[in-house]
Amino acid sequence: GEEVAQTPKHLVRGEGQKAKLYCAPIKGHSYVFWYQQVLKNEFKFLISFQNENVFDETGMPKERFSAKCLPNSPCSLEIQATKLEDSAVYFCASSQSVQGNTGELFFGEGSRLTVL
Amino acid sequence: QKEVEQDPGPLSVPEGAIVSLNCTYSNSAFQYFMWYRQYSRKGPELLMYTYSSGNKEDGRFTAQVDKSSKYISLFIRDSQPSDSATYLCARESYIPTFGRGTSLIVHP
């Protein structure tokens, strides 16, 4: 597609429940990034993919967070056993490359996760 | 120290004012910077892309990098209510890192 599509727009979970978010990058973009934005604060990098391979996962809280980008499927970010502090907007972005002018990130509209 | 830092504001100006938005960065080796604009409940979108030092102009927007002071600025001339948004500066790298954004309100 011509834009990054994130679903769902809103997700409400009780503490301890699982949450799964999806992202379809722009067709032809090789890189996918996930960022977490808590209460309009700064963007915290979680993980990036180059095609279906993890490119960098230094931001991932590995204990409960996992992510995948499989061929011919939307990318996903899954949180097992959600906690209150996981409440945030999760943004997915895609890019053609990671340097130079083609490193522009194209963001989706975000998925707002509320943990009660 | 964070790689890129911004004052979150909010910055409130009247329509037609010249707006100056600023960021500082931590490492003088950084070369590529970007300004993104984020409207409420939307994802950020790239506004301008700058390299190293000097100015870059695009319509009412001018981006400036001062390498000696590690300072990045975005100037908006003749500001409009439609410019009301959060402006994020970012350092381009394998993992683009963002400042926390400055909220701008342009009132008619």
Side-chain angles (χ1 to χ4, degrees), chain A residues 31-84:
Chain A
Y31 293 86
V32 170
F33 299 79
W34 285 98
Y35 287 86
Q36 178 195 57
Q37 188 184 34
V38 177
L39 288 176
K40 290 205 164 190
N41 286 327
E42 58 196 274
F43 282 71
K44 182 192 171 203
F45 168 75
L46 295 175
I47 189 168
S48 60
F49 288 85
Q50 181 181 15
N51 298 311
E52 63 266 27
N53 304 307
V54 174
F55 188 68
D56 192 300
E57 57 182 345
T58 50
M60 280 287 266
K62 291 188 185 167
E63 206 172 78
R64 296 179 297 107
F65 284 60
S66 63
K68 290 180 194 174
C69 275
L70 299 175
N72 304 314
S73 296
C75 296
S76 63
L77 176 69
E78 188 168 356
I79 310 171
Q80 302 285 344
T82 52
K83 296 184 178 181
L84 296 176

Side-chain angles (χ1 to χ4, degrees), chain B residues 88-107:
Chain B
L88 301 121
C89 60
R91 173 219 162 192
E92 193 247 30
S93 75
Y94 290 104
I95 307 169
T97 51
F98 291 82
R100 62 183 299 175
T102 299
S103 176
L104 172 67
I105 302 164
V106 181
H107 50 89

Side-chain angles (χ1 to χ4, degrees), chain A residues 33 35 41-43 45 56 91 98-101 104-105 107-109 112, chain B residues 2 36 38 40-44 46 49 88 92-96 98 100:
Chain A
F33 299 79
Y35 287 86
N41 286 327
E42 58 196 274
F43 282 71
F45 168 75
D56 192 300
F91 285 98
V98 288
Q99 51 189 347
N101 284 339
E104 175 184 352
L105 294 183
F107 282 85
E109 295 202 339
R112 181 177 297 275
Chain B
K2 295 189 190 304
Y36 281 80
Q38 184 182 19
S40 182
R41 298 190 177 272
K42 297 286 186 183
L46 182 69
Y49 183 92
L88 301 121
E92 193 247 30
S93 75
Y94 290 104
I95 307 169
F98 291 82
R100 62 183 299 175

Side-chain angles (χ1 to χ4, degrees), chain A residues 7-18:
Chain A
T7 55
K9 285 195 189 306
H10 303 278
L11 187 62
V12 179
R13 286 289 178 264
E15 207 172 1
Q17 290 186 315
K18 185 174 76 174

